[in-house]
Amino acid sequence: MTPFYDIAKDPQGYARDWKARTQSKIVGYFCSYAPEEIIWASGALPYRILGGGPTIERADAHLQAYSCSLVRGALDDALAGRLDFIDGTVFPHTCDSIQRLSDIWRLNTGFDFHLDLVLPVKLNTHSAEQYMQDVIQKFRQDLADGLKVTITAGMLKKAIETFNGIRSNMRRLYALTSQRSDLISGSDLQAIVKASMVMDRDELCGRLAETCEGLAAQHAESGIEKIPLVLTGGICNMPDIYRQIEDAGGTVVGDDFCTGSRYFEGSMDVQIDPLNAIAQRYYRRINCPAKHRDCFSRGDHLLKIVDNTRARGVIFVLLKFCDPHAFDFPYLKEFLDRAGVPSMLLEIEEQQIATEQLKTRLEAFIERL
Amino acid sequence: MGVSMPDRKNSKDLEREKRKIKSVKRMKEIMTDYYIEAKTAAQTGKKVAWITSGGPVEPLIAMDVIPVYPENHGAMIGAAKMGVDLCQQAEAMGYSRDLCSYARADIGSAPIDGGPIGGLPRPDMLVCCNNICGTVLKWYEIQARHFDVPLFILDTPFCHTEFSDAAKKYVRAQIGEYVEFLEQACGHRTDPDRMAEVGRLALECQRLWQKVLDTTMHRPAPLSAFDAFFHLALIVTLRGTQTAVDYYRALLKEMEERVAAGIGAIPDERYRLLWDNLPIWYRTRWLSEKFAAHGACLVADTYTSAWCSNMQYLDEDHFLDSMAEGYTRIYLNISVDQMAENILQMIAKYDVDGLVMHSNRSCKPYSLGQYDIQKILQRKSGIATMIIEADMVDERSFSESQIETRIDAFMEVLKQKKGIGQSA
């Protein structure tokens, strides 16, 4: 587990070392809708930008205080040179804030290339599916131009295999967490997820397989019974609330985060055209609240996660000023209420949590379960 | 004394009467009729569609569906100073106070029929075009669940640096899907001749509205942005109807007469300003008077002109085809640098001395990027700018004393700048 924790703690340091070691390029990206498979196929390392230095100084000259801390933190990192190892950036279209951040980023940061990936917002029509394919096709070309490389079908197929391996192992780990949380905790999983978004993907794939094998070989010890919980919401750069949940007597057995299960859902078909296979996955995977499948897809999905993991409660973790998630909260809560699943809401900003207050609230909630 | 006081009062009244825009009365009649028709639709058997302000209304008009605009409702709620109450209703339902106040006011109003007109008529369908923001997508999902009615989404890919061929193809396909959706919801086919006629009227309406706005190139400007905020209602709600065309023709005539007679929107226009972002609906009069007291008239704005920003892409002979581009490349669906270019053009066109930006907590697509626009403008034109931090409907985000101080300081800068300019 240690390498994952190390990388999660200092992703920028890891990226700099990787670059020095491999003499290769690094492509920064936002959001789990960026087709990392294509970036990795090009020979560059996909690096998810999550922002979140301890203070924000430079970004305030560009963004109002009512922007979320992801957007402000990421821009601050870029302007302060903390992302100097990046060769270019990929902005998938998601929410209004990321949309404007892309403009501000393009005008102020000066990285070698800047790619906007204007994906469809609705994911339930034939024309949207076709458009998704067109956008992915164009992205391959734009990225190749930006990096001055050629991305062949063979390279894409290899990357697809790597990502299928990563995702299936991640799903195994998620399943293990929900079944045997004494073997792998929510904190462990969180460290792995964080590391997975910035690591050398071949190395990641190997390590994940080893981790899964290692865990499967261990015998479960009967520890103290903890209350299984599911996390949902939209905090992209999660502070360590897993530990606090564990201290309060709970354990995280599943999530519906874009920095979590949504990121690992779905395999790509290795039999069909690779770009089409990639487009299909992004078109079909469970949607982010900034995208539309139908008016109930996220509620149904959340209930399914609760069901599959046999969780006894749900914690909404919302990032302050994240509109898409805040709009979905009342309906998702209502879905849970009707199904008799207790839930609580935590609103988080800039990684700042009043620890004592959080502890009291978590304990009160878990007590209730 | 006893004689001169009433006299002075009379002349002040006369002066005010002279400046009053006479078309206002007609506008109020049209809007009243429109809302009565919409609110009695259930009795008359007409269908009602709720639609976003940037949405393609023309096919609805052509299908004889009554378009209803929750955003216009939000503006009315704001102007009636009922925003805080209804926003709090939504907050009690679990919606964060940080969310768009149009959305909150409308969501808060729907279950209780709140607001100045006792709530909007129940929709038979919802039409959401995301060319203005992603917020409308969430808002319309909420109302689709609440009213249990079909939702059509027109997805207009954002134009950061281009409107790609793929995007064009995608939006054009959706225009067809939209028409099919309406035909299904209405149970009858579209009449192509009627559609063409509506498209022609819509474009004519836009042209007239732009001409009305362009009368402010004259000094003194015959109407201000505050007037435009009011007269905007028809270009949003009734675009594509003869009623709107007739109205704007009459309004244009009135403005041309004012220009000929030298009647300005304010008594003594010494400074000309440009407004950016949505109005602060509950304080339009206060702001208007505040600026007027400094001899400043807000002669143009980026908001009311947004409904004309796509005219260059629309083709009245192939209206449905041209809608794809016309509805995608509108003012808010373009990048910060393109918006800055548009503002630069407006600065030159209306010959303004300064720019007032409303940093609107409710509208991220409009507000995030304003600081960069400010820098671009300062670099390219040296124009003075000020920012008002507020919200369009939620009065809790309006600090009068702070804003007053800012306006006074800004006007002081303009006075000095102009003074220096004149002496040089």
Side-chain angles (χ1 to χ4, degrees), chain B residues 335-353:
Chain B
S335 65
V336 163
D337 33 335
Q338 290 175 75
M339 286 165 91
E341 282 306 316
N342 280 16
I343 297 177
L344 277 171
Q345 284 169 16
M346 289 182 86
I347 290 169
K349 178 176 181 183
Y350 298 101
D351 196 13
V352 297
D353 307 301

Side-chain angles (χ1 to χ4, degrees), chain B residues 26-39 46-47 49 51-62 64-69 72 194 197-209 230-249 307 319 327:
Chain B
R26 175 70 190 128
M27 173 78 173
K28 284 182 176 163
E29 284 167 14
I30 296 171
M31 285 308 279
T32 305
D33 290 348
Y34 157 72
Y35 271 113
I36 288 172
E37 197 198 7
K39 292 205 56 142
K46 280 201 167 190
K47 299 248 187 243
I51 180 168
T52 52
S53 68
V57 64
E58 294 84 358
L60 292 176
I61 303 275
D64 213 19
V65 174
I66 304 174
V68 166
Y69 289 80
N72 177 251
R194 175 86 182 111
E197 172 67 4
V198 171
R200 194 189 58 73
L201 287 169
L203 253 171
E204 193 176 349
C205 198
Q206 286 179 297
R207 283 189 206 108
L208 284 164
W209 178 238
F230 175 80
H231 295 278
L232 170 77
L234 295 192
I235 191 79
V236 182
T237 54
L238 293 173
R239 189 167 70 248
T241 66
Q242 189 64 47
T243 312
V245 167
D246 292 345
Y247 176 76
Y248 285 121
R249 193 167 284 140
W307 277 267
F319 195 75
Y327 276 95

Side-chain angles (χ1 to χ4, degrees), chain B residues 145-186:
Chain B
R145 286 190 293 263
H146 177 71
F147 291 106
D148 190 21
V149 292
L151 164 65
F152 182 82
I153 296 163
L154 183 71
D155 180 14
T156 48
F158 192 84
C159 305
H160 285 286
T161 49
E162 60 167 1
F163 178 48
S164 69
D165 289 342
K168 197 170 192 168
K169 195 175 79 180
Y170 174 42
V171 185
R172 181 62 191 93
Q174 291 178 79
I175 299 289
E177 293 161 17
Y178 178 35
V179 170
E180 278 170 32
F181 169 87
L182 292 180
E183 288 178 343
Q184 185 132 27
C186 299

Side-chain angles (χ1 to χ4, degrees), chain B residues 122-164:
Chain B
R122 196 182 192 286
D124 296 290
M125 67 197 95
L126 301 167
V127 179
C128 170
C129 180
N130 61 2
N131 58 358
I132 48 169
C133 61
T135 285
V136 289
L137 175 74
K138 304 311 293 175
W139 177 0
Y140 277 59
E141 285 177 350
I142 288 162
Q143 298 302 31
R145 286 190 293 263
H146 177 71
F147 291 106
D148 190 21
V149 292
L151 164 65
F152 182 82
I153 296 163
L154 183 71
D155 180 14
T156 48
F158 192 84
C159 305
H160 285 286
T161 49
E162 60 167 1
F163 178 48
S164 69

